[in-house]
Amino acid sequence: MAGDGLWYKDAVIYELHVRGFYDSDGNGAGEFRGLTLKLDYLSDLGVNALWLLPFYPSPLRDDGYDISDYTNIHPAYGTLDDFRMFLDESHRRGIRVITELVLNHTSDQHPWFQQARSSRENPRRDWYVWSDSVERYKQARIIFTDTELSNWAWDPVSKSYYWHRFFSHQPDLNFDNPAVREAAWEVMKFWFEMGVDGLRLDAVPYLVEREGTSCENLPETHDVLKYLRRRADETFSEKMFLAEANQWPRDVRQYFGDGDECHMAFHFPLMPRMFMAIRLEDRKPIVDIFQQTPEIPATCQWGIFLRNHDELTLEMVTDEERDYMYDEFARDTRAKLNLGIRRRLAPLMEGDRRRVELMNGLLMSMPGTPILYYGDEIGMGDNIYLGDRNGVRTPMQWNGGWNAGFSNADPEQLYSPIISNPVYGYQAVNVESQRRYDHSLLSWTKRLIRLRKSSRVFSRGTMEILKPQNHRVLAYIREFGNERVLVVSNLSSQAQAAELDLKRWKGSIPIEMFGGNLFPPIGDLPYLLTLGPYQFYWFRLRRL
Ligand code: BGC
């Protein structure tokens, strides 16, 4: 597993919820022992890193992002020993493990907050952000617009207001206090020492508040991250920070620092533009966002994704683009949540296998480390009638039997109902049935991942976007060392032809990577390709 320490660049990450993956003890919710039993499935799928949603003790009012003890395991998910066993078993299979570090806030049930609110004199008081009026930091926006009216909440115990950027039961920690920074480092150290390979830094733009600003991306916030990175580098090697900063590319760029802050950051603005491009049948949104994406330090990497455990966020688009996305992807308004859409990939693509494949083909060939969301490899559906974001967190569908093979519990006992409609329900969509067929989405996804991992050109290469006249076709060259790959994708629902200017690679032979077949050599004339609806090609360019 060792190498140059940049394992996260060559990773294919799979995001999952321990609670939703496999329930081996029949109590209705998944746990670490269950997940460990499914590691062979994940290894066979080809992913080499897992990102786990929060599994710490928590009242679960934000599905675990409301932590009440940072260095333990929620009893419903097992024990620290179970976690260690899971970690060892993952590492044995060459799979790295990324966990959540929710630094910005705790649960209001955390003993730190309980002490802080107990009296104004308590030594922990200054661990949180307090005020006697709601007039402070008025320029900070509200993130959970569907539930919160203010970023201040009244604490009846100490008779003052506390600051929270998310739910009001998640008070923000005060990172101006050095003791809080120390506590954050101790938590980080605890998990790294145990063997965790990477941490997703939840909600990092909001660590510090300053009057007269948006309270996002402040220099003081970057100081905190640089401090934590320095401590991590002094003590450990090959650990990774992944920043969750839902911001514009120029602001996210700051989270990489000079290679001395976060190793990775999600590319939030790219994601909705991939959906826009396929709907508009036009490459423009994707090309535009790459043009606005700055260079990043050599040791850093973007994290790219189609869907995750949250709503498909539309914070990083214009108002007009957001309206377009709602019109096209959330005609049933129940699908809307906050500034986003709570749906999974397959329903967003109206169950169209070709579109699902194309989106995954883009994801696996664009610059950055791809992140798959559990269940999307079999085309799972969602349930927009469940509250909050729960509709995209339903149990994994393993087979067509009792509780989809997820659990032996009584169906009523499950933490969430299973998807059961005739189109996406577990009898139609499950791992067992897809494992049997070479042409299932699961088998296809496995091949795609294998191909992606076959060359570092995808994980480390540069990207040059070509500009064929036909704007329904997106084409780019990825290049790393002596290797070159040409990716050509038809974003439209109809057959298209495109003429590519490949003069620079004259004399090379394109080899189609899925089948290994040779295409005509590149000559002086523009290279003509025809593509069926939503079809895409990956060509290795071999010099003669
Ligand atoms: C997570 C959400 C969570 C929020 C508050 C986010 O960025 O992805 O699921 O609700 O942080 O912790």
Coordinates of all heavy atoms in Angstrom, one line a residue, residues 62 65 102 105 144 166 170 200 202 244 309-310 389 393, ligand 1:
D62 N -29.1 14.7 13.7 CA -28.6 15.0 12.3 C -27.8 13.8 11.8 O -26.7 13.9 11.3 CB -27.7 16.2 12.4 CG -27.2 16.7 11.0 OD1 -27.7 16.1 10.0 OD2 -26.4 17.5 10.9
Y65 N -24.1 13.6 12.7 CA -23.3 14.8 12.6 C -23.4 15.7 13.8 O -22.9 16.8 13.9 CB -23.6 15.6 11.3 CG -23.0 15.0 10.1 CD1 -23.7 14.1 9.3 CD2 -21.7 15.3 9.7 CE1 -23.1 13.5 8.2 CE2 -21.1 14.7 8.6 CZ -21.8 13.8 7.8 OH -21.3 13.3 6.7
V102 N -16.0 16.1 12.6 CA -17.0 17.2 12.6 C -16.5 18.2 13.6 O -16.7 18.1 14.8 CB -18.4 16.7 13.0 CG1 -19.4 17.8 12.8 CG2 -18.8 15.5 12.0
H105 N -19.0 22.0 15.0 CA -20.0 22.0 16.1 C -20.1 20.6 16.8 O -19.6 19.6 16.3 CB -21.4 22.3 15.5 CG -21.6 21.4 14.2 ND1 -21.3 21.9 13.0 CD2 -22.1 20.2 14.0 CE1 -21.6 21.0 12.1 NE2 -22.1 19.9 12.7
F144 N -29.3 25.7 6.7 CA -30.5 24.8 6.6 C -31.8 25.7 6.6 O -32.5 25.8 7.5 CB -30.5 23.9 7.9 CG -29.6 22.8 7.8 CD1 -29.2 22.0 8.9 CD2 -29.0 22.4 6.6 CE1 -28.3 21.0 8.9 CE2 -28.1 21.3 6.5 CZ -27.8 20.6 7.6
F166 N -25.6 25.2 11.7 CA -26.5 24.1 11.2 C -27.8 24.1 12.1 O -28.3 25.1 12.4 CB -25.7 22.8 11.0 CG -24.7 22.9 10.0 CD1 -23.4 23.3 10.3 CD2 -25.0 22.7 8.7 CE1 -22.4 23.5 9.3 CE2 -24.0 22.8 7.6 CZ -22.7 23.2 8.0
Q170 N -27.0 22.0 17.3 CA -25.6 21.8 17.0 C -24.8 23.1 17.3 O -24.5 23.8 16.3 CB -25.4 21.4 15.6 CG -25.9 19.9 15.3 CD -26.0 19.7 13.8 OE1 -26.5 20.5 13.0 NE2 -25.5 18.5 13.3
R200 N -12.4 13.3 6.8 CA -13.2 14.3 6.0 C -13.5 15.4 7.0 O -14.1 15.2 8.1 CB -14.5 13.7 5.5 CG -15.5 14.7 4.9 CD -16.8 14.1 4.6 NE -17.8 14.9 4.0 CZ -18.7 15.6 4.7 NH1 -18.7 15.6 6.0 NH2 -19.6 16.3 4.1
D202 N -15.6 18.0 8.1 CA -16.9 18.5 7.9 C -17.1 20.0 8.1 O -16.5 20.6 9.0 CB -17.9 17.8 8.9 CG -19.3 18.1 8.7 OD1 -19.9 17.7 7.7 OD2 -19.9 18.8 9.6
E244 N -14.5 19.5 3.4 CA -15.8 19.7 2.9 C -16.1 21.2 2.9 O -16.5 21.8 3.9 CB -16.9 19.0 3.7 CG -18.2 19.0 3.0 CD -19.4 19.4 3.9 OE1 -19.3 19.7 5.1 OE2 -20.6 19.2 3.4
H309 N -24.6 11.7 0.6 CA -25.6 11.4 1.6 C -26.5 12.7 1.8 O -27.5 12.6 2.5 CB -25.0 11.1 2.9 CG -24.1 12.2 3.5 ND1 -23.0 12.6 2.9 CD2 -24.3 13.0 4.5 CE1 -22.4 13.6 3.5 NE2 -23.3 13.9 4.5
D310 N -26.1 13.8 1.3 CA -26.9 15.0 1.4 C -27.8 15.3 0.2 O -27.7 14.5 -0.8 CB -26.0 16.2 1.6 CG -25.4 16.3 3.0 OD1 -26.0 15.8 4.0 OD2 -24.2 16.7 3.1
R389 N -32.9 14.2 4.9 CA -32.2 13.6 3.8 C -32.3 12.0 3.9 O -31.5 11.3 3.3 CB -30.7 14.0 3.8 CG -30.6 15.5 3.4 CD -29.5 16.1 4.0 NE -29.8 16.3 5.5 CZ -28.9 16.8 6.3 NH1 -27.7 17.2 6.0 NH2 -29.3 17.0 7.6
R393 N -30.8 7.5 2.3 CA -30.0 6.8 3.2 C -30.7 5.5 3.6 O -30.5 5.0 4.7 CB -29.7 7.6 4.4 CG -29.0 9.0 4.1 CD -28.8 9.8 5.3 NE -28.2 11.1 4.9 CZ -28.0 12.1 5.8 NH1 -28.1 11.9 7.1 NH2 -27.5 13.3 5.4
Ligands
BGC1 C1 -22.9 17.2 6.3 C2 -24.3 17.1 6.6 C3 -24.6 17.6 8.0 C4 -23.9 19.0 8.2 C5 -23.8 19.4 9.6 C6 -22.6 18.7 6.4 O1 -21.8 19.3 5.6 O2 -22.5 16.7 5.0 O3 -24.9 15.9 6.4 O4 -25.9 17.8 8.2 O5 -22.6 19.0 7.7 O6 -22.9 18.7 10.3

